[in-house]
């Protein structure tokens, strides 16, 4: 059983049917099909006639060179599942070309705001189309062919979007690596993909400083012969070393006279891979998730339209980094596929001032704003002053993603950003699902703060207990997706154990149904933790710690944190004759930064003399989680614990940790 935690105990059942009054915000149009209880009908039909539902969505939303022979082939028990088999399309064509003929030629596709106030770049659909075509031709010149992989290690600048769509245009598979990752993380990902080209920048701007990025790429290039070209965007004005014959500047490449402005999109099969993205799983290795062209794109557009109700004049801002899945689906493929104007921001929420986000909302008249609970909590900390400084009346819908939103943050978001009227769409999904799976739709049902409400049309779920039976009301179980959906990840090796079981896809998340049939997401039930809305496998952090010469053993757990959701808590035993010093703690954190990235660096490290293990040698994380959370009144069943005398030491050691970032423990 999973602890219900605060979200549930402070849950308030409220009726907040949005859109009924219009004091501060302009009223928003209802999607006509959703009025008058039509939602239930739509859901029922989408399940009963699911194939027709999906083929309808795919036809309505996308341009296909050739339609499918079958809508869905296979199920969770068959060796392969294929969506829209036999069909052909191109993602870049769908996000660009077709809009030119649909009256959107001079509509803004991408509005980019740099960290520095005066830096703004706007690309109309026509301009973005030319940039993408030009860069696609450069990739071709570099020898990139259909099916080859292009790694993209860039900060939040327009070139990132251009590089993705250019890869998609020529049928290359892009693999975007978050620019906050270390060179070691980049190396694993570039190697695993066998990329031909790496696109990076000289530096990335963070809080006014240009932090070098190219040196990280250089370390990777040294070890990866398969990367024959590295294209570097000049962003931070840093000196970089360029290797003749391999490294070139983006601007020089784009200015070259032999680069055409047009590039025919390559016809891709529906099942061809559009991109790969790595995420954390429960093993020590990052997990490669691949998405298909037809299924994924259908799902990204479908959910963008349904959940965010995107209209022609909307200005959509998703604050995620494109290095994560949220940015792929809700900055690039979903909204651009629908011909929406998207805003992309280079910087962070609190720099230079905590009103930065509201300043952006006002400046570009954002109508739909999609962010993460960790951001809301960070902004909430500064009170209402920064929000009230700005006219944010252009907003009509608010979204949340990445972790359960705690009711306090929900209420603050609703009251101060939403003027007590705007619906908050708490959207649950994962890298694996391609797009939103569980979320309220605007104007369909009353909301409950902290609940993701219901599965979207076309999505069937089950919540099951350890014996695989459906849970009772208010009982936490695992969330399963019962039927294939177009956005599902493409499985690579069924042989090495499938992630799809006969009962469906196991999400690894705990969930419950309340008495009104609302879904509440309760966090991960596996060894994955969620820090600031980012998924981190505890095994990955442990592996990183174990590569340090002083460390003998390490166990990492999540600890509740009022700002980050969860914080990283590491228990470490040192090798013989190594002293437990403050300096070593600093080194260990730095070591994890180098191995993974600063996001994975432990907030707390406790030195211990031993880890609690079962007699068969398995670390009992349940106990370690409790100690980290200061819940040591009862450890539950400890009959299998090999050395119970350890417990007192562990608890005692925890008590001596004062300053999270510096102190030793035992
Ligand atoms: C995990 C997925 C979020 C999509 C992009 C990449 C947690 C996400 C919610 C939510 C509760 C949430 C889950 C999930 N999560 N959204 N609205 N309520 N939990 O996400 O890195 O693949 O992480 O994030 O635990 O499994 P990801």
């Amino acid at each position: 059983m999973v602890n219900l935690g605060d979200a549930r105990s402070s849950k308030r059942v409220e009726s907040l049917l949005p859109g009924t009054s219009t004091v501060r915000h302009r009223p928003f149009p209802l999607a006509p099909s959703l009025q008058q209880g039509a939602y239930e009908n739509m859901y029922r039909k989408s399940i009963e006639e699911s194939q027709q539902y999906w083929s309808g969505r795919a036809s309505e939303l996308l341009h296909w060179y050739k339609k499918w022979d079958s809508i869905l082939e296979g199920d969770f028990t068959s060796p392969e599942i294929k969506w829209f088999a036999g069909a052909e399309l191109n993602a870049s064509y769908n996000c660009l070309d077709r809009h030119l003929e649909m009256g959107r030629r001079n509509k803004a596709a991408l509005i980019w705001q740099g960290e520095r106030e005066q830096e703004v770049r706007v690309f109309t659909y026509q301009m973005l189309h030319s940039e993408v075509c030009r860069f696609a031709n450069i990739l071709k010149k570099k020898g990139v062919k259909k099916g080859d992989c292009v790694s993209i290690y860039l900060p939040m600048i327009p070139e990132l979007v251009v590089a993705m769509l250019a890869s998609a245009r020529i049928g290359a598979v892009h693999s975007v690596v978050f620019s906050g990752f270390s060179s070691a993380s980049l190396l694993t990902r570039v190697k695993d993909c066998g990329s031909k080209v790496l696109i990076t920048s000289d530096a990335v701007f963070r809080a006014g400083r240009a932090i070098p990025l190219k040196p990280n790429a250089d370390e990777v290039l040294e070890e990866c012969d398969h990367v024959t070209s590295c294209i570097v965007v000049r962003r931070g004005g840093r000196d970089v070393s360029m290797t003749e014959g391999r490294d070139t500047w983006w601007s020089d490449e784009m200015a070259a006279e032999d680069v055409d402005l047009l590039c025919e999109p390559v016809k891709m099969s529906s099942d061809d891979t559009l991109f790969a993205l790595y995420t954390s799983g429960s093993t020590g290795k990052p997990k490669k998730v691949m998405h298909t062209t037809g299924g994924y794109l259908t799902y990204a557009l479908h959910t963008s339209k349904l959940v965010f109700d995107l209209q022609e004049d909307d200005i959509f801002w998703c604050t995620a980094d494109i290095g994560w899945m949220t940015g792929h689906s809700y900055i690039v493929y979903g909204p651009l596929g629908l011909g929406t104007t998207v805003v992309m921001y280079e910087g962070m929420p609190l720099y230079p001032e905590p009103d930065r986000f509201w300043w952006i909302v006002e400046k570009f008249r954002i109508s739909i704003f999609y962010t993460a609970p960790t951001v809301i909590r960070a902004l909430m900390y500064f009170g209402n002053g920064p929000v009230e400084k700005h006219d944010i009346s252009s907003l009509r819908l608010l979204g949340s993603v990445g972790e359960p939103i705690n009711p306090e943050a929900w209420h603050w978001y609703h009251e101060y950003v939403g003027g007590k009227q705007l619906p908050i769409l708490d959207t649950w999904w994962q890298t694996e699902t391609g797009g939103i799976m569980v979320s309220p739709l605007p104007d369909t049902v009353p909301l409950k703060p902290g609940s993701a409400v219901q599965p979207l049309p076309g999505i069937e779920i089950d919540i099951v207990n350890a014996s695989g039976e459906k849970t009772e009301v208010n009982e936490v179980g695992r969330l399963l997706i019962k039927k294939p959906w177009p956005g599902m990840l493409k499985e690579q090796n069924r042989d090495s154990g499938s992630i799809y079981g006969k009962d469906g896809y196991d999400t690894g998340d705990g969930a419950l149904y309340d008495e009104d049939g609302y879904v509440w997401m309760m966090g991960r039930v596996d060894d994955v933790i969620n820090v600031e809305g980012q998924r981190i496998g505890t095994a990955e952090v442990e592996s990183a710690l174990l590569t340090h010469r002083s460390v003998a053993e390490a166990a990492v757990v999540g600890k509740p944190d009022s700002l980050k959701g969860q914080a990283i808590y590491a228990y470490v035993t040192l090798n013989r004759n190594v002293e437990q010093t403050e300096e070593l703690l600093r080194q260990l954190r730095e070591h994890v930064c180098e191995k993974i990235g600063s996001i994975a660096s432990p907030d707390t490290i406790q030195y211990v003399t031993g880890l609690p293990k079962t007699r068969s040698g398995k670390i009992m994380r349940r106990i370690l989680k409790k100690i980290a959370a200061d819940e040591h009144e009862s450890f539950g069943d400890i009959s299998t614990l090999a050395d119970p005398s350890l417990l007192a030491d562990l608890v005692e050691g925890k008590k001596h940790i004062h300053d999270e970032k510096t102190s030793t423990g035992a």
Side-chain angles (χ1 to χ4, degrees), residues 2 427-430 433 436-439 452-456 459-466 469 471 475-482 485 499 503-513 518-526:
V2 177
T427 64
W428 178 91
W429 60 294
Q430 309 177 305
T433 68
I436 299 166
M437 301 291 275
V438 182
S439 166
V453 183
Q454 63 201 357
L456 295 187
I459 302 301
E460 257 187 291
I461 62 169
D462 254 348
I463 302 176
V464 299
N465 62 22
E469 290 145 4
T471 52
E475 183 194 350
V476 179
R478 294 178 90 96
L479 177 74
L480 302 183
I481 314 292
K482 279 169 72 178
W485 69 102
I499 53 151
D503 299 325
Y505 162 71
D506 187 340
T507 63
D509 268 49
L512 63 79
Y513 278 120
Y518 278 52
V519 178
W520 294 76
M521 297 306 305
M522 311 307 300
R524 301 290 303 195
V525 290
D526 53 10

Side-chain angles (χ1 to χ4, degrees), residues 326 401-404 426-431 509 524 530 535:
T326 309
V401 63
E403 58 180 305
D426 179 358
T427 64
W428 178 91
W429 60 294
Q430 309 177 305
T431 303
D509 268 49
R524 301 290 303 195
N530 192 321
R535 226 161 100 172

Side-chain angles (χ1 to χ4, degrees), residues 601-638:
S601 165
D603 298 84
T604 311
I605 301 177
Q606 180 176 346
Y607 288 135
V608 294
T609 50
L611 294 171
K613 290 185 187 160
T614 61
R615 273 176 233 134
S616 58
K618 246 183 123 205
I619 296 174
M620 292 179 79
R621 285 164 203 283
R622 181 169 57 80
I623 292 178
L624 294 174
K625 275 186 206 161
K626 286 208 160 187
I627 294 173
D630 284 320
E631 292 167 7
H632 18 80
E633 308 78 52
S634 153
F635 289 114
D637 178 12
I638 53 164

Side-chain angles (χ1 to χ4, degrees), residues 71 89 110 157 186 188 220 222 228 252 260 280 413 427 492 548 572:
I71 299 157
L89 77 166
L110 188 66
I157 53 177
L186 178 65
T188 343
V220 170
E222 242 166 62
T228 45
D252 291 347
D260 241 342
S280 291
Y413 197 26
T427 64
Q492 323 169 48
H548 192 280
V572 166

Side-chain angles (χ1 to χ4, degrees), residues 258-317:
D258 60 341
V259 181
D260 241 342
L261 275 177
L262 282 178
C263 169
E264 267 308 297
V266 171
K267 291 181 181 165
M268 303 295 286
S269 298
S270 177
D271 203 46
D272 282 336
T273 305
L274 176 59
F275 63 83
L277 189 64
Y278 292 79
T279 184
S280 291
S282 38
T283 69
K285 237 185 105 201
K287 170 176 166 187
K288 183 183 193 182
V289 172
M290 294 194 297
H291 280 289
T292 63
T293 310
Y296 167 80
L297 205 62
T298 301
Y299 203 67
L301 269 77
H302 161 70
T303 50
S304 299
K305 180 74 193 155
L306 203 61
V307 178
F308 299 113
D309 175 40
L310 290 176
Q311 305 290 329
E312 201 57 54
D313 59 350
D314 272 317
I315 312 286
F316 184 69
W317 183 25

Side-chain angles (χ1 to χ4, degrees), residues 525-538:
V525 290
D526 53 10
D527 290 325
V528 172
I529 55 182
N530 192 321
V531 181
E532 301 187 58
Q534 301 311 335
R535 226 161 100 172
I536 294 170
T538 51

Side-chain angles (χ1 to χ4, degrees), residues 267-420:
K267 291 181 181 165
M268 303 295 286
S269 298
S270 177
D271 203 46
D272 282 336
T273 305
L274 176 59
F275 63 83
L277 189 64
Y278 292 79
T279 184
S280 291
S282 38
T283 69
K285 237 185 105 201
K287 170 176 166 187
K288 183 183 193 182
V289 172
M290 294 194 297
H291 280 289
T292 63
T293 310
Y296 167 80
L297 205 62
T298 301
Y299 203 67
L301 269 77
H302 161 70
T303 50
S304 299
K305 180 74 193 155
L306 203 61
V307 178
F308 299 113
D309 175 40
L310 290 176
Q311 305 290 329
E312 201 57 54
D313 59 350
D314 272 317
I315 312 286
F316 184 69
W317 183 25
C318 164
T319 70
D321 193 293
I322 295 176
W324 311 110
M325 190 61 180
T326 309
H328 279 60
S329 298
Y330 300 109
I331 298 178
V332 184
Y333 289 109
L336 292 181
L338 292 170
T340 309
T341 299
V342 298
V343 169
M344 174 178 180
Y345 177 51
E346 182 184 33
M348 328 245 259
L350 302 178
Y351 180 85
E353 298 292 335
D355 71 335
R356 181 36 74 112
F357 273 21
W358 317 124
W359 173 81
I360 293 174
V361 168
E362 177 172 14
K363 180 169 179 180
F364 299 111
R365 312 299 296 158
I366 308 286
S367 57
I368 303 171
F369 177 71
Y370 189 32
T371 196
T374 186
V375 171
I376 299 164
R377 288 191 298 267
L379 295 171
M380 196 172 128
Y381 176 83
F382 292 91
N384 321 327
V387 196
E388 283 163 2
K389 257 172 73 183
H390 296 278
D391 174 4
I392 55 167
S393 60
S394 54
L395 291 171
R396 70 177 188 92
L397 285 179
L398 304 175
S400 168
V401 63
E403 58 180 305
I405 177 164
N406 51 309
E408 296 69 27
W410 196 101
H411 283 291
W412 188 84
Y413 197 26
H414 182 65
E415 187 162 344
Y416 296 103
V417 185
K420 292 198 182 140

